[in-house]
Amino acid sequence: AQSVAQPEDQVNVAEGNPLTVKCTYSVSGNPYLFWYVQYPNRGLQFLLKYITGDNLVKGSYGFEAEFNKSQTSFHLKKPSALVSDSALYFCAVRDPINTGFQKLVFGTGTRLLVSP
Amino acid sequence: DAGVTQSPTHLIKTRGQQVTLRCSPKSGHDTVSWYQQALGQGPQFIFQYYEEEERQRGNFPDRFSGHQFPNYSSELNVNALLLGDSALYLCASSWTGTSGTDTQYFGPGTRLTVL
């Protein structure tokens, strides 16, 4: 069964500095990978996804993610963090075999705190 | 263009009661998935509806059931509520295209508290 791991419960970064939120995955076959962000008392907002193609995926709000097949990783990055980026970030993987089935398996989440 | 909407926003029930949560998908979407997010955890997949049928289900008991209507909206029903059912219930909609790579977009959720 597919799974994702987010090894850091919390990441702290100063505003203006680059940020990285880590995610590793385990799937059979080619992975479909996603990043979502959740603000307090809100649903999940889609940031970006990797299906195939370039290993560097660009998404919303200046975020990007790097897919690394050999390390089975899909880390979220941003060159310059903003205080407003402070939120809970979730990595997710979808069943790549049954493409008609869209079940997402989520990690436990990483809280990002950006200090002024 | 309205996104995914859910109702109600909050709900308080007592153990043993039944609850119904509602979801309207994003315009152009035909598939609805439901997730349960307990406090401090990632969302867990409950089930997915397409063409008014449940086509995939996660590890949830039969107390959890659902329905999809011809206009693609959906309901999640939970019977015999337990304290452990307290959570944020998220609805996500997507389009089941031929590529199967479509993104799920989430609603704001319904916060269910079971006392």
Side-chain angles (χ1 to χ4, degrees), chain B residues 11 13-21 36 46-47 57 60-66 75-86 89 112 114:
Chain B
L11 207 51
K13 292 287 188 178
T14 56
R15 283 178 295 174
Q17 285 189 312
Q18 178 266 343
V19 67
T20 297
L21 311 182
Q36 180 195 66
I46 303 175
F47 43 52
R57 189 179 182 92
F60 280 81
D62 292 343
R63 298 187 297 109
F64 289 77
S65 64
E75 289 182 349
L76 164 65
N77 300 293
V78 186
N79 294 322
L81 284 168
L82 304 174
L83 295 179
D85 295 331
S86 296
Y89 288 85
L112 173 64
V114 182

Side-chain angles (χ1 to χ4, degrees), chain A residues 36 38 49 94 100 102 104, chain B residues 37 55 94 100-102 104:
Chain A
Y36 287 85
Q38 186 175 36
K49 66 181 178 184
R94 196 168 82 195
Q102 302 174 12
L104 289 174
Chain B
Q37 185 180 18
R55 70 173 178 181
S94 56
T101 61
D102 299 286
Q104 290 183 33

